[in-house]
Structures are given as structure tokens and as C-alpha cells.
């Protein structure tokens, strides 16, 4: 039996998990080689994108095959603002997030009238059309050869290398995305999202504007993908039409499901999974990672519906049932 | 005018491919309510099997048949060992599951056969006729012939045989079908098998017209989905009509709307889907959904 004081102490302990993780993440770039910093930075980018899916798919129950495409939109908007229009990076970032939010909202409005199949089709079409559209306007987008963005430089006199700076920027984006997601999920909007998924009729009867809520979920997820896109530009320094294929979006869905759809922790675990599997399977074949993603997606969906994030919860519950 | 007719005719031939994949999608959707996003990849994988068999020296006709048989088996196994376990859970899971299958088939094809495109041998001897100023190639005729045979076959199967009756009954009302002694699970399995076969036929047709490559189906899948949305999601006949219409429309837009051109014609299926949803959400031959609240 768990007494209330024990429960309180556990909750007290878990309050420190987040700050402790951030502390570890802040120290890491000074301990590992630059290429690892790059890997982690990409993981943060993926994390922000998958957090968007936690809201969109996990909470509001809408599937998107275009989350990678939304990163692409954010990244291209930033790149065009910086390279073609000469804007500072932060302005490009603001414009990028604003535009992916608006596009997300527009797609969401259209989608709110559709059931799951049509929505999936709509986003599939977006994912497929993205690369040809980018190539269609070579003046602005650099066409098939892409755009090279001058890397963010460390200000004079700071004890930082470029890769460490990029890492820290990406980390800041992720923390921002995380706080947004957590804030939404734990509050009233989160409950409205879950209500729309579980029982739209009951949600409507309780005064939730179902179509608007669904559209707003899309806007949030677009905003987070936009953030991820900005971080992508900072970290990679290059965008091309082929950087954001359909497979990337499906990989994000894999990360979401494998990590766990119902908690922001799941998105982080999923991002780590998506980023680090290819590093181990790459020796066999570049495409081996996709096979592993696919199999793990199917297996987790069928056998462990809560994903990796639910494992800790299950263990804790089991321990609570049979105290040692 | 001749050029215009020519474009329409080629469009019909491409549409035959969309119709083939569309029939596969409809067969699964109407019995399980699942939109199988892995359909195109299953078709691509079966096509690779056919190609591999022919590379090993097996006569092309037999190799193609082997690919189709493989497609049927793949559909049956997928239903039996993967999809069946997700049927009881939330519907969202079943859809995401098909993305998992998408990844598995797409990427294992890339692992096994690499991502370079292969030439798939022509299925019939190349020949060109000129009818009323329109060029008619043997390849295009073959596609139309296959589509006619497919449509007739599926019609006879569904409307004139006992198995077809079981399939229609299971799709219309699974509980009642089970109560009158139909093994609904087996029927679903059969539906997936048939879909795998139709998909394989579509895959082989498109590979023989263009090339063979692991990502060759992503666009086709979108067109096929647009076709069945236009046709009404549950109607096999609708899938055929929808497929042909989308094929023609795609070809005309690619040729005559220079702002879009061949690269951007992928917006065509998107526009069709949106338009259908706005004007006639049940498609041309669909039955409006009624829900009791």
C-alpha cells in the first residue's frame, strides 16, 4: 500500500527529473566529440517534431503524414528569409514558425471536416507535392541544388565551438517545444483534445468546439514542426528538396508510437530511437533502419500500445502492487 | 484534336493502373474499413519478385504470374499475422499499422534490390497501330485488356459466386454474416489476398510501362486513393471509373496546364479529393453513411 506521504515524496522526486535531464544535456556538448553533438542536435530537432505529433495524433487522434514536410516548410522559410532576403536568423525563425502555424491551421480547418482517411490522404499529398513545388521555384528556393545557409557563428570571446552553439540552440528549441506541449496537455486544452478523440459528440455537448479544437491541434503541431525546422537550419546549415521525404514523416510516426503516444516523454524516447537506430543499422544497409522502424512500429503497436514511456509506469505499478 | 484524343487515350491507359490499385484498396476498405497505405508497397514488392524470377531465366509470363501469386500470398499472410491483431483495437492503430507495413516493404525492397531503378521487360512485343490518327501501342492495349478482364472477373466473383456472396455479406454486416455460418475471418483473409493479387497486377503493369524502383508507388498510391474517393470508397465499379477519370485528368493537366506541368500534376489528385468532399462526399457510386446517434 502506498501512503499519501510516500506518493507525495515520489512526486517530489520526479519533479527533479526534468531539471536533472536539462543539466545533463547542458554539460554533454562539452564532453563528447563534435559529431556526437551533431547527432544529439538532430535528435532534438526530431524531438520537437514528434512532440507536435504527440498533440496531433496522440491527443487529438489525427494522423499526419506531413510532419517532416512541415519541418521542411519551416526550414525553407528560415533559409529563404536569411539567404535571399538577408534577414537575421531570429526574424527568419519567427516568420518560419508563424507560417507553419498558419499552414497547419489551414490544413486543420480543412481536415476538421474530414474523417481520418481523408486527412491522411491530404497530408500524404502534401508530403508528395513538397519536393516538386520547391523545385518549381528555383529562383527562391535554389531548386534541386538546395540552399546553403551561413552557419550561426559563436560571438567573439565566448568559450564555445560552433557545434556546441548549434547544439545549445537546438536544445533551447526542444525545451521550448516541450514546455508548450506539457502546458497544453496538462491543462484545459489538452483535456479538450482528448475529448475530441474519445467522444466528439460528448465533447461537443460539453461545449468544446470540436472542429476548431482539431484545427488548433494542427496549428500547434505545425508550430512545433516550424521550430524544429528552424533548429534544423541552424544545425545542418543546408536545405534541399530531398531532405524531407515521406519516409521522414513516417519515421516520426514510428518514433511517436515506439516512444509512447500519450506523454511528452514518449516523444523524447521516440526521437532518440529514430535518430540512433540508423547509426547501428547503417553498417548493413542505409535502408535497414527503415525495416527496423517498420517492424518495431508494428510490434509496439500490437504488443505494447503505450510505447516505451509506459514501461516505467508499468514497472512502478507492479512494484506498488508487490512491495519488496 | 488528334493530339487531344491521343492524350485522352494515354490517360485511359494510365488510369487502368490506378483502377487496378484502386480495386485492391476498395476490396480491403469495404470489408475492414481500413485504408491500406501499404497497398502500393506490397504491389511494388510483388513486382520485384516477378522481375527477379524473370532475371533468373523463368519465362516472363510465368514470372509475372509468380509475382501475382506472391502478391496473393503476401496479402493473406499480412491479414492473418499482422492486421487481424489490430482489428479489435482503436481504428487509428490499424491505420498507423499500415504505415509500419509501408516501411517494412518499401525499405526491405531497397535493402534487397537497392534503390537503383531496373528495367522491367515489356510484357508484349512492341507494336504500334495508327487508328484514326491516334497511336495505339500494344502495351497500352494490354493495359486496357487487363483492366477489362479484371473488372469482369471481380464482378463475376462478387455477384455470381458463393464466395462473392460471403464477401458481400461480411462487408455489409459482419455479425449477421457470422451468425448464418460464414467464417468472416477467412473471408477477410481472402479479401486481403485478392487485393494483394490486384495490386501485383497493377505494379507489374506500371513497371513494364516505366521502370522498377522501390519508391515507384508513392505517387500511384495517391492517384489510386483519389480514384476510389471519386468512385465512392466502397464501390469496385467506382474504383474503375474513378481510376480512368483520374488517369485522363492527370494526362490532360500535365500536357495543357503549363503552370503545373509534369512535375506538379500531383496536385490533381489532391484537387479531386477536395472537390469531391465539397460537392459530393459520398463519391460517384458510394452509399451515404448513416449513423444512429
Amino acid at each position: 500500500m502506498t501512503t499519501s506521504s510516500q506518493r507525495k515524496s515520489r512526486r517530489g522526486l520526479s519533479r527533479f527529473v526534468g531539471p536533472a535531464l536539462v543539466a545533463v544535456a547542458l554539460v554533454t556538448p562539452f564532453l563528447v566529440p563534435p559529431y556526437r553533438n551533431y547527432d544529439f542536435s538532430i535528435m532534438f530537432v526530431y524531438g520537437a517534431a514528434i512532440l507536435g505529433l504527440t498533440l496531433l495524433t496522440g491527443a487529438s487522434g489525427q494522423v499526419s503524414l506531413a510532419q517532416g514536410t512541415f519541418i521542411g516548410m519551416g526550414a525553407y522559410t528560415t533559409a529563404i528569409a536569411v539567404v535571399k532576403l538577408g534577414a537575421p536568423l531570429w526574424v527568419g525563425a519567427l516568420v518560419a514558425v508563424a507560417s507553419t502555424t498558419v499552414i497547419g491551421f489551414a490544413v486543420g480547418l480543412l481536415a476538421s471536416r474530414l474523417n481520418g482517411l481523408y486527412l491522411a490522404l491530404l497530408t500524404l499529398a502534401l508530403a508528395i507535392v513538397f519536393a516538386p513545388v520547391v523545385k518549381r521555384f528555383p529562383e527562391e528556393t535554389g531548386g534541386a541544388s538546395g540552399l546553403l545557409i551561413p552557419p550561426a557563428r559563436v560571438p567573439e570571446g565566448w568559450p564555445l565551438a560552433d557545434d556546441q552553439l548549434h547544439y545549445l540552440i537546438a536544445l533551447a528549441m526542444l525545451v521550448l517545444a516541450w514546455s508548450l506541449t506539457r502546458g497544453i496537455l496538462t491543462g484545459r486544452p489538452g483535456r479538450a483534445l482528448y475529448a475530441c478523440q474519445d467522444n466528439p459528440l460528448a465533447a461537443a455537448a460539453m461545449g468544446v468546439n470540436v472542429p476548431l479544437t482539431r484545427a488548433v491541434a494542427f496549428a500547434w503541431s505545425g508550430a512545433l514542426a516550424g521550430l524544429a525546422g528552424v533548429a534544423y537550419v541552424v544545425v545542418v546549415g543546408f536545405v534541399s528538396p530531398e531532405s524531407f521525404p515521406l519516409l521522414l514523416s513516417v519515421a516520426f510516426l514510428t518514433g511517436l508510437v515506439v516512444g509512447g503516444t500519450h506523454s511528452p516523454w514518449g516523444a523524447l524516447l521516440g526521437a532518440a530511437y529514430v535518430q540512433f537506430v540508423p547509426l547501428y543499422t547503417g553498417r548493413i544497409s542505409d535502408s535497414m533502419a527503415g525495416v527496423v522502424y517498420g517492424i518495431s512500429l508494428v510490434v509496439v503497436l500490437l504488443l505494447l500500445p503505450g510505447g516505451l514511456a509506459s514501461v516505467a509506469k508499468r514497472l512502478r505499478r507492479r512494484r506498488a502492487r508487490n512491495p519488496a | 484534336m488528334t493530339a487531344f484524343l491521343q492524350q485522352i487515350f494515354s490517360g485511359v491507359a494510365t488510369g487502368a493502373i490506378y483502377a487496378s490499385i484502386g480495386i485492391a484498396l476498395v476490396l480491403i476498405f469495404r470489408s475492414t474499413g481500413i485504408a491500406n497505405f501499404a497497398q502500393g508497397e506490397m504491389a511494388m514488392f510483388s513486382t520485384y519478385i516477378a522481375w527477379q524470377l524473370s532475371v533468373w531465366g523463368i519465362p516472363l509470363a510465368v514470372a509475372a504470374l509468380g509475382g501475382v501469386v506472391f502478391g496473393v500470398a503476401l496479402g493473406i499472410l499480412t491479414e492473418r499475422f499482422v492486421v487481424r491483431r489490430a482489428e479489435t483495437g482503436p481504428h487509428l492503430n490499424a491505420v498507423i499499422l499500415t504505415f509500419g507495413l509501408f516501411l517494412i516493404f518499401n525499405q526491405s525492397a531497397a535493402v534487397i534490390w537497392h534503390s537503383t531503378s531496373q528495367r522491367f521487360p515489356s510484357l508484349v512485343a512492341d507494336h504500334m497501330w495508327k487508328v484514326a490518327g491516334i497511336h495505339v501501342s500494344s502495351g497500352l492495349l494490354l493495359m486496357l485488356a487487363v483492366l477489362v478482364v479484371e473488372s469482369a472477373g471481380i464482378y463475376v466473383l462478387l455477384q455470381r459466386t458463393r464466395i462473392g456472396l460471403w464477401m458481400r455479406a461480411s462487408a455489409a454486416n459482419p455479425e449477421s454474416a457470422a451468425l448464418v455460418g460464414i467464417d468472416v475471418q477467412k473471408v477477410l483473409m481472402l479479401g486481403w489476398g485478392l487485393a494483394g493479387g490486384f495490386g501485383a497486377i497493377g505494379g507489374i503493369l506500371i513497371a513494364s510501362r516505366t521502370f522498377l524502383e522501390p519508391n515507384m508507388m508513392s505517387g500511384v498510391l495517391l492517384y489510386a486513393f483519389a480514384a476510389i474517393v471519386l468512385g465512392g470508397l466502397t464501390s469496385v465499379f467506382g474504383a474503375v471509373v474513378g481510376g480512368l477519370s483520374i488517369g485522363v485528368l492527370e494526362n490532360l493537366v500535365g500536357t495543357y496546364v503549363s503552370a503545373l506541368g509534369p512535375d506538379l500534376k500531383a496536385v490533381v489528385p489532391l484537387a479531386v479529393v477536395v472537390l469531391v468532399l465539397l460537392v459530393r462526399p459520398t463519391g460517384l457510386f458510394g452509399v451515404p453513411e448513416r449513423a444512429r446517434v
Side-chain angles (χ1 to χ4, degrees):
Chain A
M1 228 188 91
T2 347
T3 63
S4 79
S5 72
Q6 263 173 312
R7 210 177 293 141
K8 205 173 282 168
S9 77
R10 193 172 292 137
R11 203 181 298 151
L13 218 82
S14 68
R15 217 173 34 201
F16 295 106
V17 172
L21 270 182
V22 172
V24 170
L26 280 174
V27 180
T28 306
F30 302 97
L31 303 176
V32 301
Y35 71 93
R36 280 287 172 224
N37 280 340
Y38 178 83
D39 289 344
F40 284 125
S41 309
I42 295 289
M43 183 181 99
F44 298 153
V45 172
Y46 290 176
I50 299 177
L51 280 168
L53 288 182
T54 307
L55 289 174
L56 183 67
T57 309
S60 87
Q62 307 180 87
V63 181
S64 169
L65 281 172
Q67 192 68 351
T69 314
F70 271 93
I71 295 190
M73 291 176 195
Y76 260 101
T77 311
T78 316
I80 291 170
V82 171
V83 177
K84 297 284 174 182
L85 306 176
L89 181 64
W90 65 270
V91 174
L94 283 180
V95 176
V97 174
S99 55
T100 54
T101 310
V102 171
I103 297 172
F105 187 70
V107 171
L109 269 189
L110 207 54
S112 63
R113 313 201 159 274
L114 313 178
N115 68 27
L117 167 63
Y118 294 108
L119 175 58
L121 279 183
L122 195 66
T123 56
L124 175 69
L126 273 181
I128 291 178
V129 168
F130 180 72
V133 169
V134 167
K135 286 185 202 159
R136 182 73 175 66
F137 301 99
E139 286 289 302
E140 291 78 14
T141 64
S145 46
L147 277 180
L148 210 58
I149 301 96
R153 290 264 173 237
V154 178
E156 202 69 42
W158 288 23
L160 274 180
D162 278 353
D163 63 286
Q164 291 163 340
L165 176 72
H166 300 165
Y167 173 103
L168 292 174
I169 294 177
L171 178 64
M173 295 281 183
L174 179 65
V175 171
L176 180 60
W178 163 275
S179 326
L180 274 174
T181 310
R182 231 189 109 73
I184 293 168
L185 282 182
T186 48
R188 191 186 155 89
R191 286 199 299 278
L193 288 177
Y194 276 109
C196 289
Q197 174 179 8
D198 295 339
N199 193 337
L201 272 181
M206 302 292 286
V208 176
N209 184 340
V210 175
L212 186 69
T213 307
R214 287 192 171 149
V216 169
F218 239 110
W220 282 118
S221 123
L224 296 183
L227 268 181
V230 173
Y232 181 93
V233 166
V234 170
V235 173
V236 180
F238 174 68
V239 287
S240 85
E242 268 72 38
S243 308
F244 313 97
L246 175 62
L247 281 178
L248 183 66
S249 298
V250 187
F252 288 152
L253 273 177
T254 306
L256 175 76
V257 171
V258 170
T261 48
H262 287 318
S263 103
W265 291 112
L268 297 194
L269 291 170
Y273 183 77
V274 170
Q275 168 61 6
F276 287 102
V277 162
L279 299 186
Y280 292 99
T281 55
R283 266 164 259 163
I284 307 170
S285 157
D286 281 345
S287 304
M288 201 57 210
V291 180
V292 174
Y293 288 162
I295 293 173
S296 55
L297 177 54
V298 170
V299 168
V300 170
L301 214 49
L302 295 180
L303 302 180
L304 187 70
L308 293 177
S310 71
V311 172
K313 207 180 279 173
R314 279 185 192 202
L315 287 179
R316 208 184 304 155
R317 208 174 294 154
R318 186 170 302 168
R319 207 179 309 143
R321 231 180 295 139
N322 341 296
Chain B
M1 189 63 203
T2 336
F4 181 70
L5 286 177
Q6 182 73 52
Q7 289 303 333
I8 288 190
F9 186 72
S10 325
V12 168
T14 325
I17 295 169
Y18 303 151
S20 219
I21 307 284
I23 292 175
L25 292 171
V26 164
L27 280 175
I28 290 178
F29 187 82
R30 60 187 238 150
S31 55
T32 56
I34 295 174
N36 182 11
F37 282 87
Q39 196 74 60
E41 306 313 302
M42 292 165 77
M44 175 273 299
F45 204 92
S46 311
T47 309
Y48 260 108
I49 296 289
W51 172 80
Q52 184 68 68
L53 289 175
S54 84
V55 167
W56 283 337
I58 292 167
L60 188 58
V62 182
L65 191 66
V68 175
V69 170
F70 178 86
V72 173
L74 192 63
I76 289 179
L77 293 175
T78 304
E79 198 285 330
R80 175 67 189 80
F81 292 106
V82 182
V83 178
R84 185 174 297 183
R85 294 158 178 271
E87 272 161 9
T88 48
H91 186 253
L92 188 67
N93 283 6
V95 176
I96 296 182
L97 192 73
T98 68
F99 298 139
L101 294 171
F102 175 100
L103 277 175
I104 293 174
F105 295 129
N106 179 289
Q107 296 289 287
S108 18
V111 170
I112 301 171
W113 292 289
H114 308 292
S115 296
T116 48
S117 52
Q118 308 283 356
R119 258 190 61 76
F120 196 92
S122 304
L123 294 163
V124 285
D126 273 329
H127 193 85
M128 191 78 91
W129 294 274
K130 206 163 179 189
V131 183
I134 301 175
H135 294 284
V136 181
S137 74
S138 50
L140 293 193
L141 279 185
L142 176 76
M143 282 189 200
L144 290 181
V146 169
L147 181 65
V148 169
V149 172
E150 274 182 341
S151 316
I154 194 82
Y155 176 81
V156 170
L157 179 76
L158 284 178
Q159 305 294 333
R160 293 277 181 270
T161 68
R162 183 158 286 266
I163 293 177
L165 186 64
W166 292 345
M167 292 182 77
R168 284 185 288 139
S170 311
N173 192 335
E175 285 86 12
S176 309
L179 283 175
V180 297
I182 297 172
D183 188 341
V184 177
Q185 273 308 336
K186 279 227 174 67
V187 171
L188 285 185
M189 216 160 86
L190 185 73
W192 274 79
L194 273 178
F198 278 107
I201 294 173
I204 291 170
L205 285 180
I206 195 162
S208 72
R209 194 169 145 82
T210 53
F211 51 85
L212 182 57
E213 199 254 328
N215 291 321
M216 70 181 193
M217 296 306 272
S218 61
V220 177
L221 184 74
L222 188 59
Y223 285 104
F225 266 122
I228 71 167
V229 168
L230 182 59
L233 284 180
T234 50
S235 157
V236 173
F237 180 62
V240 174
V241 173
L244 295 178
S245 320
I246 297 273
V248 170
L249 195 63
E250 177 206 358
N251 235 21
L252 293 181
V253 168
T255 315
Y256 293 108
V257 186
S258 52
L260 294 174
D263 291 334
L264 283 188
K265 60 186 183 182
V267 299
V268 170
L270 188 63
V272 169
V273 169
V274 172
L275 206 66
V276 168
L277 288 169
L278 290 177
V279 179
R280 194 181 158 88
T282 54
L284 294 175
F285 306 100
V287 184
E289 202 173 300
R290 292 192 190 85
R292 192 174 295 178
V293 182

